Amino acid sequence: MTFTDKLQHIRVLLISTYELGRQPFGLASPAAWLRRVGAEVECADLSRHSLDANQVRSADLIAFYVPMHTAARLAAAALPKIRQANPRAHVCFYGLYAPVNEAYFRSLGAQTILGGEFEEGLVSTFERIRLNRDGGGLKSAQPEPVVSLGRQEFIVPDRADLPPLARYAHLTWPGDGHRTVGHTEASRGCKHLCRHCPVVPVYNGQFRVVQADIVLEDVRRQVAAGAQHITFGDPDFFNGPRHAIDIVTALHRQHPEVTYDVTIKIEHLLNHAALLPPLRDTGCIFVTSAVESVDNSILARLDKGHTYSDFVQVVEMFRQLGLAISPTFIPFTPWTTLEGYCNLLTRLVELDLMENVAPIQLAIRLLIPAQSRLLELAEIRAMCGPYDPAAMVYPWSNADPRVDELGAEIQKLVRSGEKDGQSRRAIFTSVWKLAHAMAGDSVHGIPDFPVSASRASIPYLNEPWYC
């Protein structure tokens, strides 16, 4: 048996449990890195199919991709059965939520934890397993850094054995029908330090770019596979504005029929307003922005870097440009009041954003994960219970129990409405009535504010997402 033969018989199983309805870049990228060094890699996206028992039993390395809270909890829940089916496999957790939950994942049997730029760490872990196969032995302590912020030279992601793009979320664009959606990343991390953001404990104000030629080749291959629209999964597309504009300019030149969407914070949309026409002109049809609140005192506590008036200015700017904005919110926080929640709904009506806001955004509850900057606030430390490792959060309750009750009821209402296929406006109306009833107001209809002529053309991805 040759050295190459030995490498080919070391099997790696990469598992994603959830990534916002997108084909996971976090499987495709490391799959390419590992295959380049001879690993036999299989990818399993549990959001789209059940896990193959044979894949589990034959794997030498099983690595869970955990880019967000929901994904991490689903991975932790899946691990015991996987461990039972294959107790000999080396288990790794990698991604944003891996390092902040290191102790918990290790208590479940994980041996390697990788955060930040994880591809090189996964290759190193594979090499350790190879050495063990050849008699070198695995060290008791993980030699790879738990968090790596190294500047990697990326390679083109390998999506060969992932489910086809048609099985993932699609773009709904009234007047244009449905579009098949691809997903890539042009950068990771973030320059900013918003207190509630899970990126901050890992990247601490730093970001890393994926080289432009790699991004464009990844897009080219997805377009060849049927993608008509691309979602850029960067935490903030304008962390590196020149890098971003160069990529989308080239994308539009190479694929003029392909549209795309990006995520950009309100602060960057204002500071780089001159770059918004180039976004529009190169095929960007909507921008997601984490507005979080319309209450300036809450925005200050979250250290968001913008005010409500900044948000209004961005909405007006987008209307003038003919770009759609998709605001996201954290409406249920320790500082939320019934009056404040009703005020959020009123502001969305006044700004004619009912159709722009995904219904789940009216139900999101603030998460306080391990190492969160929110713990810098004395008021947060005083109100939080002990850290719950299984839930991966510090539990908290609103001082007004009616607010927590409202949040739970709106969660149910939104999930039920989406399951029944109700429109965004219909779900919003139900939320409006429930919130005003809870606040003791007479249940009345939504005020008759002017509606923009462009409301019916708002594009959105059809799969609602969670944190």
Side-chain angles (χ1 to χ4, degrees):
M1 181 180 290
T2 67
F3 179 69
T4 301
D5 290 333
K6 290 182 180 180
L7 286 177
Q8 290 174 339
H9 282 83
I10 295 176
R11 295 182 173 90
V12 180
L13 177 59
L14 301 177
I15 300 175
S16 172
T17 57
Y18 176 70
E19 196 176 1
L20 307 175
R22 305 164 177 168
Q23 191 187 68
F25 183 92
L27 294 193
S29 178
W33 285 65
L34 288 161
R35 286 169 179 148
R36 184 173 63 174
V37 297
E40 186 175 315
V41 181
E42 292 184 298
C43 295
D45 183 351
L46 303 192
S47 73
R48 290 301 179 269
H49 56 70
S50 300
L51 195 57
D52 185 326
N54 291 327
Q55 288 181 324
V56 174
R57 284 192 291 267
S58 64
D60 299 292
L61 168 61
I62 297 175
F64 289 91
Y65 177 49
V66 288
M68 62 197 69
H69 184 260
T70 298
R73 293 197 64 182
L74 290 171
L79 181 58
K81 286 186 178 180
I82 288 174
R83 270 320 233 167
Q84 185 177 14
N86 185 352
R88 69 174 180 81
H90 187 97
V91 174
C92 169
F93 282 76
Y94 69 98
L96 203 60
Y97 264 76
V100 295
N101 294 290
E102 178 183 6
Y104 178 58
F105 288 144
R106 290 195 188 279
S107 76
L108 298 178
Q111 294 133 298
T112 297
I113 304 294
L114 302 170
E117 307 304 281
F118 48 73
E119 284 87 351
E120 288 181 344
L122 280 167
V123 169
S124 175
T125 303
F126 166 77
E127 295 290 0
R128 286 195 286 130
I129 294 170
R130 178 186 65 78
L131 288 173
N132 183 59
R133 176 72 61 85
D134 292 341
L138 282 174
K139 295 180 180 179
S140 57
Q142 160 184 339
E144 299 83 14
V146 171
V147 174
S148 171
L149 298 183
R151 298 180 185 276
Q152 298 182 149
E153 288 294 324
F154 283 83
I155 61 177
V156 181
D158 187 344
R159 303 173 181 273
D161 63 339
L162 286 169
L165 294 177
R167 291 193 59 193
Y168 290 90
H170 61 258
L171 178 78
T172 296
W173 195 359
D176 188 71
H178 294 167
R179 289 192 171 202
T180 301
V181 177
H183 167 231
T184 193
E185 295 179 2
S187 65
R188 290 179 179 158
C190 186
K191 294 194 297 188
H192 298 271
L193 299 171
C194 303
R195 282 200 177 96
H196 62 300
C197 180
V199 175
V200 174
V202 176
Y203 282 88
N204 195 29
Q206 300 182 66
F207 78 103
R208 296 291 180 260
V209 301
V210 181
Q211 290 74 32
D213 60 328
I214 300 299
V215 179
L216 291 168
E217 177 59 19
D218 187 29
V219 169
R220 187 195 69 77
R221 294 183 184 185
Q222 291 184 76
V223 171
Q228 301 162 300
H229 178 92
I230 298 294
T231 289
F232 285 93
D234 310 40
D236 193 301
F237 199 59
F238 275 0
N239 272 319
R242 179 45 51 196
H243 175 67
I245 292 297
D246 286 349
I247 285 174
V248 296
T249 300
L251 185 158
H252 186 63
R253 183 174 63 250
Q254 296 168 15
H255 312 284
E257 75 288 355
V258 172
T259 55
Y260 67 89
D261 69 272
V262 297
T263 297
I264 304 174
K265 68 189 275 105
I266 295 294
E267 181 181 357
H268 280 169
L269 292 171
L270 290 174
N271 291 344
H272 302 293
L275 298 181
L276 297 183
L279 282 187
R280 176 200 59 199
D281 296 343
T282 54
C284 182
I285 56 172
F286 72 91
V287 175
T288 299
S289 193
V291 178
E292 314 301 34
S293 179
V294 298
D295 183 317
N296 285 335
S297 67
I298 294 177
L299 290 171
R301 287 180 171 100
L302 299 180
D303 201 8
K304 277 300 299 177
H306 72 258
T307 63
Y308 173 64
S309 63
D310 292 332
F311 171 46
V312 173
Q313 184 178 345
V314 166
V315 170
E316 293 172 350
M317 191 163 59
F318 270 56
R319 290 244 162 87
Q320 292 171 5
L321 286 168
L323 260 176
I325 188 165
S326 177
T328 63
F329 295 93
I330 306 176
F332 291 96
T333 73
W335 310 287
T336 300
T337 64
L338 293 178
E339 180 184 9
Y341 187 83
C342 291
N343 182 59
L344 166 64
L345 302 180
T346 299
R347 295 290 172 263
L348 294 179
V349 173
E350 290 175 343
L351 294 171
D352 188 21
L353 291 174
M354 286 180 291
E355 305 283 352
N356 298 64
V357 178
I360 191 60
Q361 294 302 319
L362 304 174
I364 298 291
R365 180 179 171 87
L366 179 69
L367 298 177
I368 306 179
Q371 301 178 36
S372 171
R373 277 197 66 220
L374 285 166
L375 298 168
E376 296 172 358
L377 301 177
E379 59 183 323
I380 286 288
R381 296 195 301 273
M383 71 176 63
C384 284
Y387 184 71
D388 183 342
M392 301 181 191
V393 292
Y394 286 91
W396 59 268
S397 299
N398 195 287
D400 183 349
R402 297 177 301 165
V403 175
D404 289 338
E405 181 184 351
L406 176 64
E409 290 301 314
I410 289 178
Q411 282 270 358
K412 295 177 188 176
L413 188 156
V414 168
R415 290 173 192 258
S416 174
E418 289 177 334
K419 183 179 179 181
D420 293 342
Q422 295 180 19
S423 69
R424 289 185 169 188
R425 178 174 288 270
I427 296 174
F428 187 97
T429 301
S430 297
V431 168
W432 174 282
K433 292 179 178 179
L434 176 61
H436 283 79
M438 186 75 76
D441 296 343
S442 58
V443 179
H444 49 79
I446 297 172
D448 187 21
F449 290 106
V451 176
S452 70
S454 62
R455 175 176 55 79
S457 63
I458 294 166
Y460 61 91
L461 299 182
N462 72 314
E463 186 166 331
W465 60 265
Y466 301 84
C467 297

